[in-house]
Amino acid sequence: MNAVRGRFAARTVRVKAPGKVNVSLDVGPLRPDGYHSVASVYLAVSLYEEVAATSTAGDGITVSISPASTLDLDGVDIPLDERNLAYKAAAIMADVSEHSTGVHLEITKRVPVAGGMGGGSADAAATLLACDALWNSGLSRDELAHLAAELGADVPFALLGGTAVGLGVGDDLSPALAKAQMDWVLVTAEFGLPTPEVFRTLDRLRDAEGIDVAEPTAVDPQILQALRSGDADALSRVLVNDLQRASIELAPSLRDTLGLGESSGAIAGIVSGSGPTVALLAHSPEAAEGLAEELQHKGLSAIAVHGPVPGARIISDTLL
């Protein structure tokens, strides 16, 4: 507990964690347990969620959304109770921490909600790290990653950051040595696509076409080679996302967004994860900024980002 000789002292730990782009995503068949095996290359990008965890004298967990959030959240239903991933992360940390207190989580939202970029997972990863520091739990990164895997397939990566290969349901992570910067433009949508619905749609499309797919066991080495060398042209030729066709089936406007991005100067485009965020690859930071501006002029919501970037990091720790 944050107390000195029995006296409570409030403290705030602020953590940022990145959203991600799936540079590749191979999806296997539906498994008996209801999940799908995947082989994916994750890239953490410079669009961050922030969580400020403040110890409270009472018991329990409370959650709020910061007015500093850059997302337009009108009409967006973000649960602020035990359904919220950050709430779940704090509850798990309270269970394993000897000196937990009550905690208030203020989340600054920047990563699109239900946008295929792991925004909720970033919130959970940030909360794990913030509560570990807040309650002096002393868990290692590996121990935090184990807890993260209990919360969802994307949470361990938000904790790790950088570039990684994800197998299994995506939580079996292997860091990839790919430090060269890649520049992207993210085009966000005014709607979300629930991930389970996108997977169900992919299964339905495959069933209708009689397509049998094998369990994916590895990613294309050409993708990792292009990322290591920073060769955007080589990467553009090997981008793949099995969920993209399902996302477009549910939201046909995504096809237009991809086409507009490429006609406006992107080297290539891909739906990020389950969508509907579209990631457009650019040759340089300047090209990405120019592309984002052009798409903004055409009425789209676009932002230039780069990756890889580090995973969840403490940015401040303050006694109140």
Side-chain angles (χ1 to χ4, degrees):
M1 177 179 288
N2 243 336
V4 178
R5 292 176 185 171
R7 293 175 297 160
F8 180 81
R11 178 177 161 207
T12 296
V13 177
R14 183 177 292 273
V15 174
K16 70 175 183 179
K20 56 85 181 170
V21 169
N22 292 80
V23 178
S24 74
L25 180 56
D26 296 307
V27 179
L30 181 64
R31 305 189 319 196
D33 64 3
Y35 291 94
H36 297 74
S37 295
V38 302
S40 185
V41 177
Y42 298 107
L43 182 73
V45 296
S46 56
L47 188 61
Y48 300 94
E49 299 279 275
E50 286 185 19
V51 174
T54 301
S55 53
T56 60
D59 293 329
I61 301 163
T62 54
V63 181
S64 66
I65 303 300
S66 169
S69 299
T70 57
L71 293 184
D72 181 2
L73 297 174
D74 287 345
V76 178
D77 180 25
I78 299 178
L80 302 179
D81 54 20
E82 62 275 2
R83 294 171 294 165
N84 187 289
L85 266 184
Y87 185 109
K88 292 179 180 179
I92 284 180
M93 286 302 302
D95 285 342
V96 301
S97 301
E98 292 184 11
H99 305 296
S100 62
T101 65
V103 64
H104 177 70
L105 307 172
E106 184 183 56
I107 304 172
T108 303
K109 299 292 297 177
R110 299 189 182 96
V111 177
V113 176
M117 290 188 63
S121 297
D123 295 338
T127 300
L128 289 174
L129 189 58
C131 289
D132 176 66
L134 192 67
W135 297 329
N136 299 312
S137 304
L139 298 185
S140 68
R141 278 278 174 156
D142 284 344
E143 289 170 323
L144 288 174
H146 180 75
L147 296 177
E150 297 180 22
L151 293 163
D154 287 343
V155 183
F157 178 69
L159 197 63
L160 175 69
T163 308
V165 173
L167 300 175
V169 294
D171 59 342
D172 180 6
L173 293 177
S174 301
L177 296 176
K179 296 183 179 180
Q181 178 173 313
M182 288 288 187
D183 296 286
W184 302 79
V185 172
L186 303 177
V187 182
T188 60
E190 295 180 352
F191 56 90
L193 285 177
T195 298
E197 185 177 358
V198 178
F199 274 95
R200 284 194 296 269
T201 301
L202 176 62
D203 293 334
R204 176 173 56 80
L205 291 172
R206 286 174 168 175
D207 287 344
E209 297 170 2
I211 295 175
D212 291 321
V213 294
E215 292 281 330
T217 57
V219 301
D220 185 346
Q222 294 182 78
I223 295 172
L224 297 177
Q225 183 178 346
L227 287 169
R228 277 194 299 270
S229 63
D231 188 338
D233 288 312
L235 182 62
S236 72
R237 294 189 288 270
V238 290
L239 293 175
V240 62
N241 178 4
D242 284 351
L243 290 179
Q244 180 165 303
R245 61 192 298 244
S247 299
I248 291 173
E249 175 80 7
L250 292 167
S253 62
L254 295 179
R255 183 180 288 108
D256 299 331
T257 301
L258 287 163
L260 185 58
E262 293 184 14
S263 67
S264 300
I267 312 171
I270 192 170
V271 173
S272 177
S274 56
T277 300
V278 167
L280 302 169
L281 185 60
H283 272 129
S284 66
E286 295 76 19
E289 290 288 352
L291 175 60
E293 289 180 10
E294 181 169 349
L295 293 175
Q296 289 165 9
H297 290 152
K298 293 177 178 178
L300 297 179
S301 176
I303 181 172
V305 299
H306 64 271
V309 298
R313 294 290 184 274
I314 295 173
I315 54 177
S316 66
D317 186 341
T318 309
L319 283 172
L320 302 180

